[in-house]
């Protein structure tokens, strides 16, 4: 019996050793990927709803750490440094775990992470071909929407790529403004659902289209009665809606459609490639529920229209070291003043020229012509941005 126990103990020790060796051989389990992205710029003036200020500054500078936790989970943490009005701010953009071994194409992510609605939103801003997100993103998603919550994803076993998912978030940065802090916001404020379908066209082309829906339980504007002016808009809920990644224009329902087409000779993206993409946003049900005079809030003519935004972008990689981009977009919003809504429009035409010494370094020169119609008191302007984006350390592959 003693000999048998000795043999069993030896087998157990050998199995434990083999298990430890196998985990040690997987570098992602013992040596997490650590990276930093440095974003610096000079800009001659400011843009509405954008984070970059006039003059020299630091943009979206991030430090990230990620690794497989074991054979069942993956984890990532991303901290972001930004400078706003002379003060350095430290924020936590990602801190999540994700399953890696669920059956039947399912996966779950929990913690703080980028929502997967739309095309650009789930990508870090330093991967963009332009210095700022389109105006529609800045208006309706706070540039890029990340939040605390949970996601369930499913990838279908089809010839075409077909993914779908649902998310539930805390929703603080998507709350409508509340001047007096009297509103009872829901703690579980945002729900999303999306689907993405894509495939290849021969050896050189690929495509993807997507539809997304975002339900914002706290998205409708609030208003209060004033003896002299009647209903007035609320203005401040404690969030910095101009900078702190909060949506400036909200509504209960946001509908999104997106597409992307990519071309590269024989599928080789190293030397040449073309990316054409676009998105459309529609935000509804944003007017206060309070009634006034004729029973409802209204604009000067027929009541507030839906808020909309869209952009179309084309980026061409001319050679391994040079790329050029052209983007046009506009956003139409409604601003509440007293008992009526005023329509606003912002149009942006952008041209970008970037030099890439390698995959890890980019220097970009961008020209933006912006035209506003009663947009937050904004006047037409031309914006010149000189930007560098440099990556230090190991960095994961970018999204499609």
């Amino acid at each position: 019996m003693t000999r048998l126990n000795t043999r069993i103990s030896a087998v157990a020790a050998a199995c434990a050793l083999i298990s430890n060796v196998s985990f040690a051989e997987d570098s992602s389990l013992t040596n997490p990927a650590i990276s930093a992205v440095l974003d610096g710029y000079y800009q001659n003036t400011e843009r509405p709803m954008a984070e970059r200020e006039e003059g020299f500054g630091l943009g979206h500078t991030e430090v990230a750490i990620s690794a497989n936790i074991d054979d069942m989970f993956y984890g990532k943490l991303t901290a972001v440094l930004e400078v706003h009005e002379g003060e350095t701010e430290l924020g936590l953009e990602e801190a999540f775990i994700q399953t890696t071994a669920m059956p039947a194409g399912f996966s779950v992510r929990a913690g703080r992470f980028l929502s997967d609605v739309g095309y650009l939103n789930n990508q870090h801003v330093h991967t963009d071909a332009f210095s700022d997100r389109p105006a529609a993103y800045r208006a309706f998603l706070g540039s890029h929407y990340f939040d605390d919550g949970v996601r369930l994803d499913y990838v279908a076993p089809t010839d075409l790529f077909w993914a779908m998912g649902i998310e539930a978030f805390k929703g603080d940065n998507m709350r409508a403004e509340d001047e007096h802090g009297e509103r009872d916001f829901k703690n579980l404020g945002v729900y999303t659902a999306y689907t993405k379908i894509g495939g290849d066209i021969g050896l050189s082309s690929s495509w993807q289209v997507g539809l997304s829906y975002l339900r914002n339980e706290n998205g409708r504007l609030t208003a209060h009665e004033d003896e002299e002016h009647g209903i007035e808009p609320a203005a401040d809920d404690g969030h910095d809606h101009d900078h702190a990644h909060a949506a400036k224009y909200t509504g209960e329902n946001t509908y999104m459609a997106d597409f992307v087409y990519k071309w590269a000779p024989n599928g080789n993206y190293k030397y040449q490639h073309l990316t054409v993409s676009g998105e459309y946003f529609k935000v509804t049900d944003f007017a206060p529920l309070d009634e006034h005079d004729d029973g409802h809030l209204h604009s000067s003519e027929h009541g507030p229209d839906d808020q909309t935004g869209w952009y179309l972008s084309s980026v061409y990689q001319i050679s391994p070291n040079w790329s050029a981009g052209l983007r046009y977009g506009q956003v139409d919003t409604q601003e509440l003043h007293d008992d009526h809504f005023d329509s606003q429009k912002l149009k942006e035409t952008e041209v970008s020229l970037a030099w890439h010494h390698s995959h890890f370094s980019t220097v970009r020169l961008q020209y933006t012509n912006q035209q506003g119609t009663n947009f937050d008191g904004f006047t037409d302007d031309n914006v010149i941005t000189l930007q560098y984006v440099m990556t230090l350390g190991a960095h994961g592959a970018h999204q499609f």
Side-chain angles (χ1 to χ4, degrees), residues 68-191:
N68 289 332
I69 297 169
D70 49 32
D71 60 336
M72 298 287 290
F73 298 98
Y74 166 84
K76 185 175 184 181
L77 186 147
T78 304
V80 176
L81 289 167
E82 293 177 296
V83 177
H84 180 54
E85 295 183 349
E87 296 186 2
T88 301
E89 302 173 354
L90 176 63
L92 189 62
E93 186 172 282
E94 293 177 310
F96 67 83
I97 60 171
Q98 179 165 328
T99 62
T100 59
M102 288 185 67
F106 286 96
S107 66
V108 173
R109 178 176 293 192
R112 178 172 296 183
F113 52 90
L114 295 162
S115 173
D116 208 6
V117 295
Y119 172 60
L120 285 178
N121 195 74
N122 66 1
Q123 305 178 41
H124 288 196
V125 294
H126 69 262
T127 67
D128 291 1
F130 299 87
S131 61
D132 286 299
R133 287 279 158 97
Y137 265 85
R138 306 198 310 268
F140 302 136
L141 294 176
S143 180
H144 57 298
Y145 177 47
F146 59 90
D147 207 343
D148 301 339
V150 63
R151 171 194 298 166
L152 175 64
D153 266 323
Y154 172 69
V155 178
T158 55
D159 292 337
L160 291 176
F161 168 74
W162 185 16
M164 60 199 78
I166 54 175
E167 301 169 323
F169 290 113
K170 190 175 180 180
D172 284 0
N173 284 342
M174 297 295 287
R175 290 177 176 177
E177 297 175 350
D178 180 21
E179 180 180 6
H180 300 288
E182 299 173 348
R183 182 171 175 177
D184 185 17
F185 287 110
K186 294 184 179 180
N187 292 325
L188 191 58
V190 170
Y191 303 89

Side-chain angles (χ1 to χ4, degrees), residues 255-258 278-282 307-311:
Y255 305 91
M256 289 165 272
D258 63 87
E279 297 186 64
Y280 174 80
F281 294 72
K282 181 178 180 180
Q307 303 184 106
T308 61
W310 62 274
Y311 75 88

Side-chain angles (χ1 to χ4, degrees), residues 7 13 196 221 252 263 325 341-342 381:
R7 293 180 61 186
K196 304 173 190 289
L221 290 168
E252 286 187 347
W263 170 87
F341 282 90
D342 291 336
D381 210 343

